[in-house]
Amino acid sequence: MLFAAFFVFVYYTTWAMILPLIGSSSPVHDYFPAREWAIRLPAFLLVVGLTAIGLFVGSTIVKENRKKAQKARLRTA
């Protein structure tokens, strides 16, 4: 897993920071998608990740509130 993270880091760093400094006629450009995806892909992953975190936190809060309401009902019954 550490190797995968290292590979993604090196690939993205090369793609986003070093590739613009290399001439566009270089064959190195064939190994990477268009530069616009260097911004779109992380932005998309950020939105998906934040949405997943928000859904998890929201569902946890709803479950806790249901448990509290059920306990309150049992105490009053």
Side-chain angles (χ1 to χ4, degrees), residues 7-69:
F7 177 76
V8 169
F9 173 76
V10 169
Y11 185 84
Y12 183 77
T13 301
T14 304
W15 180 27
M17 296 184 163
I18 297 172
L19 202 61
L21 302 175
I22 300 173
S24 60
S25 62
S26 175
V28 175
H29 284 274
D30 296 336
Y31 297 112
F32 299 93
R35 277 188 247 160
E36 65 190 29
W37 288 101
I39 301 299
R40 288 183 183 178
L41 185 62
F44 174 74
L45 292 174
L46 180 67
V47 168
V48 169
L50 290 176
T51 301
I53 291 169
L55 288 172
F56 174 75
V57 170
S59 67
T60 303
I61 290 172
V62 167
K63 286 178 185 178
E64 288 297 319
N65 286 341
R66 286 181 185 166
K67 285 181 184 178
K68 287 180 184 178

